[in-house]
Amino acid sequence: MSVTTDRRTLLRRAAAVGLVAAPGVSFLSACAGSDDSSDDTKQATGTKSADNPLGIDPKAGIEIVIFDGGLGTKYATDVDTPLYNKKWPDSKVTYSATQQVATTIKPRLNSGNAPDMINNSGSDIMDFGAIVKAGQAADLTDLFAAPSLDIEGKTVAETLVPGAVQQGTYDGKPFAVNYSFTVFGLWYNKKLFDKNKWTIPTTWADFTALLEKIKAAGITPFSYAGANASYYMVRAIMTSAAKIGTEQVLKDIDNLKPGAWTNEAVKQAAAAWGEVGKKFANPSHLGLKHTEVQLQQNQDKVAFYPCGSWLENEQAASTPAGFEYAMMAFPSVTASDKLPATAINAAAGEIYFAAAKSKNPQGGKEYLRTMLSKEAALEFTKLTKSLTVVAGAADGVTISPGLTSANDALSKAGQDVFMGYLFDTWYKKLDDASREAANQLFFKGGDAQKFCDTMEAASQAVAKDSSITKFTRS
Amino acid sequence: MRHGKYPFIIGFLVVPLALYLVFVVGAYLQMFQLSLTDWSGYGGFSYIGLENFQKLWDDPVFWVALRHNLYLLILMPIVTIALALFFAFLLNSGGKKAGGVWGSKVYRVIFFFPQLLALAIVAVIFGRVFGSDKSGMINGLLPQSWTPWLFLADERWALTCILVVLVWQAVGFYVVLFSAGMGSIAEEIYEAAALDGATKITLFFRITLPLLWDTLQVAWVYLGIAAFDAFALVNIMSVNHGGPNNSTQVLSMQIYLNAFQNSQAGYASALGVVLFFLTLTFAALTLRVTRRDAVQA
């Protein structure tokens, strides 16, 4: 369970890295007295060439640190490192894995002895904005401009899904590779739906009609775990709001714009979901944890579950043979939704970065270039059942059914893929408020106006609090 | 011999004392300093005077949390001590000769058992006991046709559920503590009273309780401090870290959330300062008030 908790934490947190104006000078590194230490570390460099676009020293070793969580570490030891060594046989890769990223890495960053490539995630994640601000992350401009390792005629940046580079960009410069790609939607058991001849709805009327049918069959039609996963419900409400009024609605919310939460789109989304809660909620699920409700879904006691594409992998051990994960896009709420019913919320997450003050930052970047090759991305997907930001790397390959359906939904969405919101990681206080408000909305009678007003007040309280560092996005 | 005594004692004391100064006193001093800053937990900070305390005063959640701490502060020691006294008296039943209930030695071990479990484990176990659907232990034992009790998912009962666990966990320790106290009361006193025709209840109120007063006083202070904490249980058991709707919110949870999640270390330090003085005041008051009673007895 700790593994899955880490996984969801990392995805939720890491999905939101981008576009952050990094907060103030690192106090902790200042304490360690090494923040302004000059570049006395000899950094390995080589000659740039077509074959060596990042100019690494082929003989210099690199050190990488991987977070040992829900994704495991096999992709690094069995795929990325052998691939890297195939091209650079004289460069020794020193590998280590940790579950305590900040505990093990922070002191090393502060003492100027950083590993070359770091996977920053898990519950002990480092505040990446602070790392950028302290000059500890290497500028990845040359990496993204370099040619792809195995996709002919394209730069690394050109091989990625739209928005992937931007999500790791701080003050105009890219510093992070957000490697994994999460698709959010409504998850259900395809076999159960086929058996009952339930068809996948695209309009809200069809959706609620189906929920009625499911309820009549004695199954909780839609649920989530109120005790620790209410942000899944926040995601559902926000996704519907974005479909009604485009992603701009969410951008306004992130930017703490007055009136953003009382926007008509948010109100309509909250009203629609509040109504679902009122009619179909199982009040005892307010007290349950994510694994408990997910298990109930695996037992066909819950039909729809709003979640990200990590769900299938997370539940792999408890999924019975009669259960086959599939994902559908959130249905349109109104007839005049600005985004089509196929529109999908999907975001890059899971930070990998090269340390600026390590012995061989260019080697660290070369390792990242290896990870961003099509071959490495495909193997990563096979091993972790998670898509990557390498566009189309998993196309036409047999992957798990749930991920296949997420991939299909993604291709059906076409250009209508939106990144979502960042307020939950920017302003933890607002995140807490939204979780509580979502629980109240769904389990306590569905008062949409109250939801909007509570969140508007919480948002403006954050806006007025000068001690909270503000971020904006466009 | 004599001249070697002080270096010997000092040698033993210096290291623990230094550790205490650095890691406890030093940390507290730093907390006082940080409570006057706008430190986020990362990056630099500047001094903002008493602004954090002003914010705290205006924060409704702070008052809710404080009210819940006071609720625990009153009920937890009373219930725990009452139960522990009751059990200890049954186990000992006044004096060794009178003897406690049958198998009292085994009970003593059983009572003490919860104390051996890490609080986090206790919280996880009781999370399952109070499960809000049929998979929860209590609800599972109820007839199938009953609507499940929501327990931790019900705003009205969530904090009481946590109180029950706090008491369950603490009671055994005080049973053993009070048993030891009762064991040290001279038997002659009980015998004399028994000869005068005192009932067990009279023995308890007129002899056991007054002679146990010092132990009770210590128990009260300890339990009070524990009631100011309750962090592990709230963090693990409650819906949404202090919910639903802040119905289980306590000060320690607020400190944790602000320091480690909201990136408001300065504000969290201010909360810490408040908690420090509350605990100190409580301990001083308790010792002061109960001392007078002890003299009367």
Side-chain angles (χ1 to χ4, degrees):
Chain A
M1 198 176 112
S2 71
V3 167
T4 57
T5 312
D6 286 341
R7 174 102 182 98
R8 74 190 42 236
T9 317
L10 74 87
L11 279 162
R12 195 182 55 71
R13 297 197 58 167
V17 270
L19 318 162
V20 189
V25 201
S26 172
F27 169 71
L28 289 171
S29 57
C31 275
S34 63
D35 193 31
D36 47 0
S37 66
S38 52
D39 295 327
D40 41 13
T41 329
K42 283 267 182 302
Q43 294 191 324
T45 48
T47 328
K48 281 185 191 178
S49 68
D51 196 39
N52 184 5
L54 296 171
I56 75 164
D57 173 357
K59 290 207 164 36
I62 59 166
E63 187 193 350
I64 61 163
V65 178
I66 301 291
F67 168 67
D68 185 5
L71 297 172
T73 55
K74 240 178 142 63
Y75 67 90
T77 54
D78 295 9
V79 179
D80 298 339
T81 302
L83 262 178
Y84 175 87
N85 273 140
K86 205 168 99 188
K87 188 165 165 66
W88 307 105
D90 296 331
S91 169
K92 186 176 176 298
V93 178
T94 311
Y95 157 89
S96 62
T98 179
Q99 296 191 339
Q100 305 292 322
V101 175
T103 313
T104 47
I105 305 297
K106 221 169 179 178
R108 294 191 56 186
L109 289 177
N110 287 334
S111 63
N113 172 35
D116 301 302
M117 200 287 291
I118 299 154
N119 171 201
N120 181 36
S121 72
S123 51
D124 192 30
I125 194 170
M126 299 181 287
D127 183 328
F128 196 68
I131 289 174
V132 171
K133 196 73 184 176
Q136 294 281 5
D139 181 350
L140 300 181
T141 307
D142 55 349
L143 166 68
F144 287 125
S148 157
L149 201 65
D150 61 359
I151 303 169
E152 293 286 319
K154 279 188 176 173
T155 64
V156 170
E158 286 164 357
T159 64
L160 307 184
V161 296
V165 177
Q166 282 86 331
Q167 277 198 46
T169 298
Y170 290 68
D171 294 337
K173 276 187 195 168
F175 288 101
V177 172
N178 289 279
Y179 191 62
S180 84
F181 193 59
T182 302
V183 187
F184 295 95
L186 283 171
W187 295 80
Y188 60 93
N189 177 9
K190 187 167 182 297
K191 289 187 178 164
L192 175 74
F193 277 53
D194 286 350
K195 193 180 86 189
N196 289 295
K197 301 198 170 58
W198 290 334
T199 47
I200 295 314
T202 53
T203 68
W204 203 259
D206 288 350
F207 180 54
T208 47
L210 176 58
L211 294 180
E212 288 285 4
K213 263 194 234 171
I214 296 172
K215 191 182 179 186
I219 297 170
T220 304
F222 173 98
S223 196
Y224 69 96
N228 70 344
S230 43
Y231 55 98
Y232 290 178
M233 193 64 222
V234 177
R235 176 78 57 180
I237 300 166
M238 293 290 94
T239 305
S240 291
K243 285 198 168 192
I244 298 168
T246 76
E247 198 183 5
Q248 188 59 42
V249 175
L250 307 185
K251 288 176 184 170
D252 290 347
I253 283 175
D254 285 346
N255 293 335
L256 302 176
K257 198 174 148 189
W261 283 96
T262 48
N263 182 311
E264 200 52 41
V266 180
K267 218 178 282 177
Q268 282 174 350
W273 282 112
E275 202 58 28
V276 170
K278 210 167 171 181
K279 281 191 188 146
F280 306 109
N282 180 343
S284 69
H285 289 190
L286 172 58
L288 297 191
K289 296 204 156 65
H290 67 280
T291 41
E292 296 171 318
V293 176
Q294 287 163 202
L295 190 66
Q296 291 204 8
Q297 186 184 29
N298 291 144
Q299 297 165 342
D300 284 338
K301 290 177 187 163
V302 168
F304 283 116
Y305 189 75
C307 199
S309 47
W310 63 76
L311 178 67
E312 184 180 30
N313 198 33
E314 182 173 296
Q315 290 301 100
S318 19
T319 312
F323 195 99
E324 187 182 309
Y325 272 112
M327 193 209 88
M328 65 171 259
F330 284 91
S332 299
V333 180
T334 68
S336 54
D337 277 13
K338 295 218 174 86
L339 296 181
T342 49
I344 287 275
N345 173 206
E350 181 83 347
I351 299 172
Y352 294 78
F353 73 101
K357 292 173 184 171
S358 73
K359 291 193 187 71
N360 190 1
Q362 290 307 101
K365 288 186 206 172
E366 179 68 16
Y367 194 88
L368 287 171
R369 191 165 78 106
T370 312
M371 287 181 72
L372 291 170
S373 69
K374 192 167 180 173
E375 188 180 349
L378 173 61
E379 293 303 320
F380 179 90
T381 300
K382 282 187 189 163
L383 282 170
T384 64
K385 296 199 185 116
S386 299
L387 297 171
T388 66
V389 289
V390 181
D395 283 355
V397 181
T398 315
I399 41 176
S400 59
L403 198 59
T404 308
S405 99
N407 206 21
D408 290 349
L410 210 52
S411 47
K412 265 186 221 151
Q415 287 305 301
D416 295 308
V417 177
F418 57 98
M419 197 251 296
Y421 50 92
L422 300 171
F423 77 84
D424 57 338
T425 45
W426 286 354
Y427 313 113
K428 194 66 189 61
K429 237 176 170 153
L430 204 52
D431 178 42
D432 287 346
S434 73
R435 292 169 184 227
E436 191 55 54
N439 271 348
Q440 294 288 320
L441 176 75
F442 191 78
F443 287 111
K444 302 276 159 128
D447 189 337
Q449 189 63 47
K450 193 177 141 207
F451 175 86
C452 295
D453 292 344
T454 310
M455 288 314 298
E456 181 67 23
S459 158
Q460 288 315 300
V462 169
K464 286 194 187 78
D465 192 333
S466 61
S467 70
I468 300 174
T469 316
K470 304 300 189 303
F471 308 106
T472 51
R473 62 184 279 223
S474 54
Chain B
M1 274 299 276
R2 267 189 78 102
H3 69 268
K5 198 172 91 178
Y6 289 108
F8 180 73
I9 293 173
I10 290 168
F12 261 100
L13 284 181
V14 154
V15 173
L17 199 66
L19 286 174
Y20 183 80
L21 282 174
V22 171
F23 290 109
V24 179
V25 179
Y28 266 114
L29 288 176
Q30 203 160 29
M31 180 184 78
F32 280 95
Q33 178 203 359
L34 289 173
S35 71
L36 304 174
T37 69
D38 61 356
W39 192 40
S40 70
Y42 301 92
F45 57 76
S46 48
Y47 288 92
I48 53 169
L50 295 175
E51 213 174 278
N52 282 326
F53 292 93
Q54 175 68 46
K55 204 160 90 179
L56 202 144
W57 183 265
D58 297 333
D59 184 355
V61 181
F62 164 72
W63 293 105
V64 169
L66 186 63
R67 207 174 65 223
H68 292 156
N69 272 118
L70 292 180
Y71 170 85
L72 294 178
L73 180 65
I74 293 166
L75 284 179
M76 188 197 162
I78 290 179
V79 178
T80 309
I81 289 176
L83 282 174
L85 271 177
F86 177 67
F87 291 135
F89 192 68
L90 283 187
L91 291 184
N92 296 278
S93 198
K96 278 166 211 147
K97 209 165 270 172
V101 292
W102 182 81
S104 60
K105 275 191 180 146
V106 179
Y107 291 137
R108 213 173 292 188
V109 174
I110 294 175
F111 275 126
F112 195 70
F113 191 67
Q115 200 70 33
L116 300 176
L117 288 173
L119 205 50
I121 297 173
V122 171
V124 170
I125 292 173
F126 272 90
R128 300 304 312 134
V129 170
F130 289 129
S132 61
D133 66 351
K134 291 288 176 196
S135 68
M137 198 188 91
I138 299 178
N139 278 318
L141 293 174
L142 295 176
Q144 273 299 319
S145 54
W146 287 26
T147 314
W149 284 342
L150 296 180
F151 294 112
L152 293 159
D154 188 327
E155 285 173 34
R156 290 163 300 174
W157 294 107
L159 191 61
T160 308
C161 290
I162 286 175
L163 174 69
V164 166
V165 183
L166 276 171
V167 170
W168 180 85
Q169 210 260 346
V171 119
F173 176 79
Y174 293 97
V175 169
V176 175
L177 184 72
F178 295 157
S179 290
M182 288 175 185
S184 69
I185 297 172
E187 259 170 75
E188 290 76 15
I189 304 177
Y190 285 109
E191 280 168 12
L195 283 176
D196 287 343
T199 62
K200 281 205 168 171
I201 293 171
T202 322
L203 287 179
F204 176 76
F205 281 103
R206 306 301 285 267
I207 296 176
T208 312
L209 206 55
L211 289 174
L212 213 58
W213 199 257
D214 282 350
T215 320
L216 283 178
Q217 196 182 11
V218 170
W220 198 280
V221 174
Y222 275 20
L223 283 165
I225 291 170
F228 270 122
D229 179 12
F231 170 73
L233 294 186
V234 171
N235 191 24
I236 299 173
M237 287 172 67
S238 70
V239 169
N240 254 337
H241 301 296
N245 211 7
N246 281 329
S247 59
T248 54
Q249 199 58 260
V250 289
L251 290 176
S252 56
M253 192 71 230
Q254 278 294 297
I255 294 178
Y256 171 79
L257 289 176
N258 280 304
F260 299 108
Q261 295 203 0
N262 300 353
S263 293
Q264 297 214 324
Y267 183 61
S269 298
L271 274 162
V273 170
V274 170
L275 188 57
F276 172 79
F277 280 113
L278 281 175
T279 315
L280 208 64
T281 313
F282 161 78
L285 270 181
T286 310
L287 290 174
R288 176 119 207 145
V289 169
T290 53
R291 188 179 57 190
R292 208 182 304 143
D293 289 345
V295 171
Q296 281 169 354

